Amino acid sequence: MATIELQFNDKKIDNYPIGAGDTLLIGRNAVNDIVIDNLAVSAQHAKIESIGSEFLFVDLHSENGSFVNDQYIKSHWLNHGDHITIGKHTLKFSNPNDNTPKKFQTFGNTKTRQIDTIKFREMLNRNQNNDVLNGRPTNSDKPGLKEPMGVLSYLTGKKQTVELNAKMLRVGKEPNSDILVKGFGVGKTSAVINRMPDGWYINFVGGVSKPRINKIALKKSAKLENFDIITIGSTKLQFLIIGSTEIN
């Protein structure tokens, strides 16, 4: 099984196993699976997502960003031995059964404190011309993910990823909804997500409480963009496009 070892100043703090189908949330808030109690770390900083037999690290729009092997990234397919830098802490990824190297793919009430350490500045300066900072994605050699696939990853509650394979999925508090959500004012069918030739679209259907995309209330149809965060009632989901150069 793959593991994540949390380190501070090269000393082990804890070890976290991650298996198929698992998601590990990383951040300062106590609700995260890996809690890093440091003001340089955002309340919900990043996550590690199991997709098939591989593991994807995704930065969740954190204040200070994330580095993998000293490279500033937004998303990265993890290889055995990769080390992730978050603030002043290190997360070492171990997956001894993974023998397939992959190119890296650019894919609370208390405010996060911006850090200005020598090491952080050195890494950031080395990455000023990085494609990630300039918004240009890098292709992955990862096998089996050539066709783009939309997924919704739970950021609250369940540790689950929903593949958007159907032409339409219903989201609401009706028990037979494809994605069941709860919360005051949420409609029986709050929204539908449609797959169209040019991507995935979310449409508001009904209810007092409107879905929110990146904290903005959804009033009509909107095309979902990579890393969009969807909030419906008490449920928070993140939209990802897997196996596409749109990951950035």
Side-chain angles (χ1 to χ4, degrees), residues 117-156:
T117 63
I118 294 174
K119 182 180 179 182
F120 180 85
R121 284 295 154 200
E122 286 178 349
M123 287 192 295
L124 196 58
N125 289 335
R126 285 201 300 269
N127 284 274
Q128 285 303 311
N129 295 319
N130 194 309
D131 284 346
V132 184
L133 292 175
N134 294 322
R136 294 191 293 271
T138 302
N139 291 333
S140 171
D141 287 341
K142 179 175 170 52
L145 290 175
K146 300 302 182 183
E147 293 297 324
M149 175 179 66
V151 300
L152 288 176
S153 174
Y154 280 81
L155 297 179
T156 54

Side-chain angles (χ1 to χ4, degrees), residues 21-156:
D22 289 346
T23 298
L24 292 181
L25 294 175
I26 306 163
R28 193 179 66 241
N29 195 297
V31 301
N32 292 285
D33 302 292
I34 301 178
V35 178
I36 303 177
D37 188 13
N38 188 288
L39 288 179
V41 180
S42 295
Q44 198 167 55
H45 195 103
K47 67 175 180 178
I48 298 173
E49 189 90 49
S50 168
I51 300 174
S53 61
E54 307 296 338
F55 298 91
L56 179 66
F57 176 86
V58 180
D59 184 274
L60 297 175
H61 304 287
S62 66
E63 180 73 22
N64 288 311
S66 303
F67 295 80
V68 177
N69 304 329
D70 294 342
Q71 295 287 326
Y72 180 81
I73 59 90
K74 291 183 180 179
S75 68
H76 176 88
W77 291 107
L78 290 169
N79 294 293
H80 175 64
D82 281 349
H83 61 272
I84 304 158
T85 303
I86 295 179
K88 297 181 180 180
H89 288 71
T90 300
L91 297 165
K92 184 177 179 181
F93 176 74
S94 297
N95 188 13
N97 295 325
D98 181 15
N99 297 315
T100 306
K102 298 165 282 294
K103 291 181 181 178
F104 79 85
Q105 184 173 10
T106 65
F107 194 0
N109 295 326
T110 303
K111 291 184 178 179
T112 304
R113 179 185 298 161
Q114 291 187 333
I115 61 175
D116 191 17
T117 63
I118 294 174
K119 182 180 179 182
F120 180 85
R121 284 295 154 200
E122 286 178 349
M123 287 192 295
L124 196 58
N125 289 335
R126 285 201 300 269
N127 284 274
Q128 285 303 311
N129 295 319
N130 194 309
D131 284 346
V132 184
L133 292 175
N134 294 322
R136 294 191 293 271
T138 302
N139 291 333
S140 171
D141 287 341
K142 179 175 170 52
L145 290 175
K146 300 302 182 183
E147 293 297 324
M149 175 179 66
V151 300
L152 288 176
S153 174
Y154 280 81
L155 297 179
T156 54

